[in-house]
């Protein structure tokens, strides 16, 4: 049995990297990085060594599932915040692709490109949280959704956040601007503290939105499930990874369950958004033109005024083709 000694060190990743092999661990703490106490076993595929094969499978599933969610979001042509929320899912997809390339060793840690791809990965991850945070305020209509102000404010600010966090990451790895692999405080704050904080603010804002504006309370369940999955994933990754790895004989570790929980969080966010948005079918566009039947019902007063004697009124239908515009 491996001795389980979890250590958490504020403002640096030394304790985290002794627990789980996240992508930045080979680049910080010391010149050759920090190796976790226990990690998932490797497999050989086509003459190449693949690290974290179980996490690789989850990343592939996450990419496929996210593309399906993006398709359904884009098909709700008149839903509120459609163009804003789809940016979050695009960023999450890019995060999953980069995670797959880095943690599996497809881009080896010995490569000169590895620090740059890791910095990009960290920047995109932080931009994903930022984009989610801003989407949390779309429903409050501070700026009308779908307008250039709403869309470009999210795009530009997310890109700026990506540049800032990416620069801090590469500065930490390369020793630029007073940063170094021993001085990780700035990266720790941006990559850990602020990301947790932004997710928490998003969840709180959506709870307030549902309580104040919606009669239906079922969407609260989606948000609470998202928060629960997120918390479980973080704990399994950063606290119990070594325990999981040791008890499963190195087949999986906390990163595997963390990737699953992150996917479940994203699925709950999609389900929540889908449940609070309604599409105006009259103005939506489908792959096929559909004929809708609208039944006009006359009330009792209208019947009595229209006819002075007892008469069976035939049901009247209007047929019209759904307009693509």
């Amino acid at each position: 049995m491996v001795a389980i000694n979890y250590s958490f060190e504020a403002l640096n990743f030394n304790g985290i990297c002794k627990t789980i092999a996240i992508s930045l661990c080979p680049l910080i703490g010391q010149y050759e990085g920090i190796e976790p106490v226990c990690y998932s076993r490797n497999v050989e595929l086509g003459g190449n060594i693949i690290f974290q094969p179980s996490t690789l499978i989850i990343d592939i599933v996450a990419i496929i599932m996210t593309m399906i969610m993006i398709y359904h979001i884009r098909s709700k042509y008149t839903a509120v915040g459609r163009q804003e929320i789809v940016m979050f899912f695009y960023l999450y997809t890019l995060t999953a692709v980069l995670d797959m390339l880095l943690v599996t060793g497809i881009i080896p840690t010995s490569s000169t490109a590895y620090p740059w791809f890791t910095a990009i990965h960290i920047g995109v991850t932080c931009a994903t949280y930022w984009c989610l945070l801003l989407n949390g305020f779309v429903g409050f209509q501070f700026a009308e959704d779908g307008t250039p102000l709403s869309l470009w404010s999210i795009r530009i600010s997310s890109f700026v956040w990506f540049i800032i966090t990416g620069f801090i990451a590469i500065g930490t790895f390369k020793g630029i601007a007073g940063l170094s692999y021993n001085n990780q405080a700035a990266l720790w704050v941006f990559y850990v503290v602020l990301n947790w904080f932004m997710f928490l603010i998003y969840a709180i804002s959506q709870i307030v939105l549902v309580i104040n504006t919606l009669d239906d309370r079922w969407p609260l369940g989606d948000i609470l499930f998202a928060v629960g999955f997120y918390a479980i994933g973080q704990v399994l990754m950063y606290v119990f990874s070594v325990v999981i790895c040791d008890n499963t004989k190195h087949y999986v570790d906390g990163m595997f369950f963390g990737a699953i929980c992150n996917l479940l969080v994203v699925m709950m966010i999609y389900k929540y958004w889908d449940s609070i948005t309604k599409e105006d079918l009259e103005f939506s566009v489908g792959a096929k033109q559909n004929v809708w039947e609208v039944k006009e019902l006359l009330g009792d007063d209208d019947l009595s005024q229209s006819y002075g004697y007892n008469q069976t009124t035939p049901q009247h239908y209007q047929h019209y083709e759904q307009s693509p515009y």
Side-chain angles (χ1 to χ4, degrees):
M1 294 289 291
V2 175
I4 308 302
N5 295 313
Y6 169 73
S7 62
F8 180 82
E9 301 179 28
L11 301 181
N12 69 69
F13 292 91
N14 295 343
I16 291 175
C17 288
K18 291 176 182 176
T19 304
I20 188 169
I22 56 179
S23 60
L24 57 81
C25 290
L27 304 169
I28 60 171
Q30 54 191 16
Y31 181 74
E32 296 182 351
I34 301 175
E35 186 174 306
V37 175
C38 183
Y39 51 87
S40 175
R41 65 179 65 193
N42 312 323
V43 297
E44 184 176 353
L45 183 64
N48 298 313
I49 301 297
I50 302 297
F51 298 90
Q52 298 286 343
S54 56
T55 306
L56 172 63
I57 295 173
I58 299 302
D59 284 336
I60 294 173
V61 172
I63 293 169
I64 295 172
M65 292 299 297
T66 309
M67 295 309 296
I68 294 173
M69 289 184 279
I70 289 173
Y71 171 78
H72 285 289
I73 291 171
R74 290 176 61 86
S75 68
K76 296 185 68 172
Y77 292 90
T78 60
V80 174
R82 176 182 68 93
Q83 297 181 73
E84 288 82 358
I85 195 66
V86 79
M87 287 188 278
F88 162 74
F89 288 94
Y90 281 134
L91 287 172
Y92 172 74
T93 304
L94 182 56
T95 301
V97 171
L98 291 170
D99 185 71
M100 179 178 64
L101 295 176
L102 292 169
V103 301
T104 60
I106 295 175
I107 300 176
T109 57
S110 59
S111 171
T112 56
Y114 186 86
W116 295 96
F117 273 94
T118 303
I120 293 172
H121 179 227
I122 291 173
V124 173
T125 300
C126 294
T128 303
Y129 278 90
W130 176 261
C131 184
L132 179 65
L133 173 66
L134 296 184
N135 269 277
F137 297 101
V138 170
F140 294 95
Q141 293 292 294
F142 294 116
E144 186 177 354
D145 64 283
T147 61
L149 175 61
S150 176
L151 295 174
W152 283 103
S153 62
I154 295 178
R155 290 168 182 167
I156 294 174
S157 62
S158 296
F159 180 74
V160 171
W161 197 251
F162 161 76
I163 294 296
I164 292 172
T165 52
F167 176 78
I168 292 174
I170 197 64
T172 303
F173 304 150
K174 296 289 188 179
I176 302 173
L179 301 170
S180 70
Y181 54 78
N182 288 319
N183 181 17
Q184 312 157 24
L187 182 59
W188 195 86
V189 169
F190 275 82
Y191 190 56
V192 178
V193 178
L194 290 182
N195 285 349
W196 288 350
F197 179 75
M198 285 187 283
F199 182 81
L200 178 62
I201 294 299
Y202 170 79
I204 293 174
S205 68
Q206 298 316 289
I207 292 173
V208 172
L209 180 67
V210 172
I211 292 176
N212 289 340
T213 62
L214 299 180
D215 295 329
D216 187 7
R217 295 292 183 261
W218 283 107
L220 288 176
D222 301 326
I223 287 296
L224 294 178
F225 270 112
V227 172
F229 285 133
Y230 185 80
I232 292 171
Q234 298 297 297
V235 171
L236 291 177
M237 284 179 62
Y238 298 130
V239 179
F240 292 107
S241 180
V242 178
V243 177
I244 295 169
C245 176
D246 185 49
N247 284 277
T248 59
K249 307 302 181 184
H250 293 246
Y251 280 102
V252 296
D253 57 11
M255 186 171 290
F256 169 74
F257 291 101
I260 292 177
C261 288
N262 286 340
L263 174 58
L264 292 174
V265 170
V266 172
M267 293 175 68
M268 287 297 102
I269 291 173
Y270 164 76
K271 188 174 185 301
Y272 163 75
W273 177 85
D274 187 62
S275 67
I276 66 171
T277 56
K278 292 183 179 180
E279 186 179 19
D280 187 351
L281 293 177
E282 183 178 356
F283 298 101
S284 63
V285 182
K288 299 179 180 179
Q289 288 189 337
N290 297 316
V291 178
W292 301 87
E293 290 186 342
V294 178
K295 183 177 181 181
E296 295 181 349
L297 297 177
L298 295 175
D300 294 337
D301 294 338
D302 294 334
L303 286 171
S304 60
Q305 292 175 4
S306 300
Y307 301 95
Y309 53 91
N310 188 14
Q311 178 178 334
T312 301
T313 305
Q315 294 177 334
H316 176 64
Y317 294 90
Q318 279 188 341
H319 299 273
Y320 63 95
E321 288 193 352
Q322 183 181 2
S323 172
Y325 301 102

